[in-house]
Each structure stands twice: as structure tokens, then as C-alpha cells.
Amino acid sequence: EAQVTQNPRYLITVTGKKLTVTCSQNMNHEYMSWYRQDPGLGLRQIYYSMNVEVTDKGDVPEGYKVSRKEKRNFPLILESPSPNQTSLYFCASGLLSGGFYEQYFGPGTRLTVT
Amino acid sequence: AQSVTQLGSHVSVSEGALVLLRCNYSSSVPPYLFWYVQYPNQGLQLLLKYTSAATLVKGINGFEAEFKKSETSFHLTKPSAHMSDAAEYFCAVNPGYSSASKIIFGSGTRLSIRP
């Protein structure tokens, strides 16, 4: 089954404790992206990757890191999480279709930082 | 700069009634427009997309949207609401080509269906 998977689905952590949220896709998509969803703000892009070893900042990259060493994986790293990073996070992968990427979303990771 | 405005953070309709979710966009170039649906505890699923072909776009689950350039709108409609339509709906815009990787989401509209 074609899908985007994220782990963990739920995570409660404390301020300053480094964490990684994994994202994997089995559709051989070149494009992958991370978003955070906050009430009343919709989804905002954190980082995206156009291909292996190619990453770029989205709208809200502060406090996050990413890497793209393999095509299928795009982990999101929070080196020193803070309470304002409490949010619902979505990973997506995309296929170039005409002039845009048609994106497929993972199920989400709900992160709470205390 | 591109932006998306969804009017109404919460819409409630009776089962069988018309669903109308409003979306207005701002874009300096002809955009690609999308509607996504998010069911509780799930990721986003593409409902439909406008890619400069037909202005009336049909999507899944009986939804459709009409691109109106003069009004910069892309409202989502469904003639008869079903209980299973209860979800959050997001309008999104992508300016395309040189910014193919960029997608901007609206703040979302939660749709509730009354029995």
C-alpha cells in the first residue's frame, strides 16, 4: 500500500530533550516536506526537500532540523524542544504533476513539550 | 505574495442540506488551488484540485468547487450533506512552476453535520 508513515504518533517530552520524528514514504517521491498544524493557523511549512541531500527552509524553520540522506526518509529533529513547539506535525511526500507537487500526507504526530 | 482566506472557522449544516465552504485566494500569477479534507485523527486527503483546465472541478465524495478568477474565489460545495462529511477542510494555493514546492494553506473550516 502506498503510504507515508510517521513515528511516533504521540510524544510527550520535556523542554530541552532532543527528539526525532521519523517520516518514511514508499512511493519513490522526490519531494518531501514537514508541516505543523496549530488551531486557527492551518498548516505551516517547516522544511522541505526536493531530492536527496537537498533541503530548504519553509515558513517556520526556527528550532527544527532535517536531513535527507535517503529518498524514502525525511526525519524532523528538534535539538532542544520548547513548549511553543507543542503542535501536530505532518510529513508529506509529493509527485510533480504539471507545475506543482501533488502531496500525500502522513497520519500526523502529536507532540507535547512540557 | 500568495495567501488564502477561509471565511468561517466553523460551519454547521443539517444532514441533506447544501454545504458551502468559502475560500478566497491572493496570487500574483494564475495559481493551482486545492481543497483538502482532514477526518478526526487522520492526515490530510486531497479532495480536489484546480489546474487551469475546467473552472468547475469535481472531487471525491460528491464535492465540487468552482474557480472564479474575477472574484478570486474557489468555494467548495456539496448539494446534500452526509453525516460522514463532518471533518475539517483546508483550502490551499500553489503558485506553480518556479514555486512548485510551495503550498500555502488556509486556516481551515470545521464542518459539522446536524442530524
Side-chain angles (χ1 to χ4, degrees):
Chain A
E1 178 189 357
Q3 60 183 347
V4 179
T5 57
Q6 296 179 227
N7 283 292
R9 293 289 312 278
Y10 302 90
L11 179 60
I12 301 174
T13 190
V14 296
T15 299
K17 185 176 181 181
K18 180 179 179 180
L19 67 91
T20 299
V21 183
T22 65
C23 173
S24 183
Q25 52 97 2
N26 62 1
M27 295 170 278
N28 202 36
H29 289 163
E30 292 184 344
Y31 177 87
M32 296 186 74
S33 184
W34 276 103
Y35 299 87
R36 61 177 289 174
Q37 182 183 10
D38 301 289
L41 296 177
L43 276 76
R44 293 178 292 168
Q45 190 176 48
I46 302 171
Y47 271 95
Y48 65 93
S49 169
M50 304 286 277
N51 212 327
V52 175
E53 302 291 2
V54 179
T55 63
D56 210 345
K57 296 178 181 179
D59 296 317
V60 288
E62 295 78 19
Y64 304 94
K65 285 176 55 177
V66 293
S67 68
R68 186 92 182 274
K69 296 186 180 354
E70 306 167 279
K71 199 172 191 179
R72 62 183 291 122
N73 296 323
F74 190 46
L76 179 70
I77 303 157
L78 284 71
E79 295 270 3
S80 183
S82 63
N84 65 12
Q85 292 178 297
T86 292
S87 187
L88 180 57
Y89 291 86
F90 287 102
C91 179
S93 70
L95 182 67
L96 191 60
S97 175
F100 64 93
Y101 283 97
E102 183 158 335
Q103 297 190 44
Y104 299 81
F105 285 81
T109 295
R110 186 167 292 282
L111 172 66
T112 302
V113 183
T114 61
Chain B
Q2 289 76 25
S3 66
V4 176
T5 302
Q6 291 184 242
L7 298 175
S9 59
H10 185 209
V11 170
S12 180
V13 303
S14 297
E15 191 173 18
L18 171 71
V19 175
L20 171 60
L21 304 183
R22 299 177 188 274
C23 173
N24 288 88
Y25 70 91
S26 168
S27 177
S28 57
V29 297
Y32 298 105
L33 294 161
F34 311 87
W35 276 99
Y36 284 87
V37 59
Q38 183 182 27
Y39 297 105
N41 299 314
Q42 294 187 26
L44 277 73
Q45 179 182 356
L46 183 64
L47 204 53
L48 50 81
K49 60 189 177 190
Y50 167 75
T51 59
S52 74
T55 57
L56 182 62
V57 181
K58 295 187 184 301
I60 61 173
N61 301 336
F63 283 93
E64 62 182 36
E66 186 172 8
F67 172 69
K68 291 188 176 180
K69 185 177 179 181
S70 60
E71 299 177 7
T72 60
S73 68
F74 190 56
H75 302 332
L76 182 70
T77 60
K78 182 174 180 177
S80 177
H82 191 273
M83 295 300 290
S84 61
D85 295 327
E88 186 146 22
Y89 292 80
F90 292 94
C91 183
V93 63
N94 180 298
Y97 290 104
S98 63
S99 299
S101 62
K102 188 72 174 175
I103 181 166
I104 299 164
F105 287 88
S107 56
T109 297
R110 182 167 299 280
L111 176 64
S112 300
I113 312 296
R114 301 188 299 270

